[in-house]
Amino acid sequence: MANDFPKPMFYCLDMREQPNLQDILHIPPNTHFEKANILHGLNHTENSFDFCHQRMMLSAYHGEDVAYVIREMHRLLKPGGWLEMVEYDPIPKRAGPLFTKLTDTLIAFLKSRHKYLITGPKLRRFLKEGNFQEIQYDYASIPVCWGGYVGKHMYENILTGMRYVGPLIYKELFNTEAEFDEAEYDEFVDKAFDECVQYQTFLNVHWAYGKKASTVH
């Protein structure tokens, strides 16, 4: 995007350490990386940005943090600037019993730790409560394990996450006090994904964007 639009400045913020720019080829000169935690406030003055984008923060915040995050992005935007948010609905559609059990267990685990999930269907309400105007909202359905390249890519993304949380959800998933059995867990996950082809399972990805009110003269 920075290559396609060379005039704007792009600021990429994340809590992780900034990438070693020497290891990354062809970084556009209008792109900047910053390590920052929005919950601590961002080191930019108000009315600084024309556009803010946030995505895939499903379990990043506790419930009381959401309103603050929206206010902080509202503060950063110039009058007439836009905020865009993109999130999954973590509840799969047309899922088989194994994939349903897998995702239900994961969602219950996330809720137990974070108390609140930022899911796609909530985005429009967040923007409305944050005093944004001209709110637009839509979603797209993404296949899991079927439907060509897109379905394959979605499968790979979900599989990466499921492998990471395996030791955390294993006991609840199998209703056991036994220690994590990687082979047993991987077999269950593989069968759950096989079901996605049979049932043609999909996930909905939602997006919403709204405008900060223009200054009234």
Side-chain angles (χ1 to χ4, degrees), residues 90-108:
I91 301 175
K93 316 304 178 190
R94 288 202 312 238
L98 295 182
F99 197 72
T100 296
K101 183 177 181 180
L102 182 63
T103 54
D104 283 352
T105 304
L106 174 60
I107 292 170

Side-chain angles (χ1 to χ4, degrees), residues 19-137:
N20 186 344
L21 301 187
Q22 295 180 346
D23 296 336
I24 303 177
L25 300 178
H26 310 304
I27 294 180
N30 57 336
T31 303
H32 305 272
F33 295 92
E34 296 182 15
K35 181 181 179 182
N37 183 345
I38 193 172
L39 298 179
H40 299 160
L42 298 177
N43 190 27
H44 292 273
T45 59
E46 62 183 28
N47 304 326
S48 297
F49 292 89
D50 296 295
F51 179 81
C52 291
H53 174 85
Q54 176 183 277
R55 64 181 174 186
M56 307 313 170
M57 303 295 280
L58 175 71
S59 60
Y61 310 129
H62 292 280
E64 61 272 17
D65 296 331
V66 177
Y68 171 80
V69 169
I70 299 296
R71 288 197 304 270
E72 179 66 359
M73 289 190 284
H74 189 278
R75 180 187 72 83
L76 295 174
L77 285 168
K78 298 176 182 178
W82 293 85
L83 169 62
E84 180 183 53
M85 304 178 72
V86 181
E87 296 293 340
Y88 286 103
D89 179 355
I91 301 175
K93 316 304 178 190
R94 288 202 312 238
L98 295 182
F99 197 72
T100 296
K101 183 177 181 180
L102 182 63
T103 54
D104 283 352
T105 304
L106 174 60
I107 292 170
F109 167 75
L110 293 174
K111 286 182 176 179
S112 72
R113 295 189 60 173
H114 298 275
K115 309 300 182 185
Y116 192 85
L117 300 181
I118 302 179
T119 62
K122 299 175 182 177
L123 297 182
R124 182 166 38 184
R125 175 166 59 84
F126 293 154
L127 292 178
K128 183 177 180 180
E129 293 173 351
N131 295 318
F132 284 88
Q133 302 177 351
E134 300 182 33
I135 297 170
Q136 302 294 317
Y137 169 84

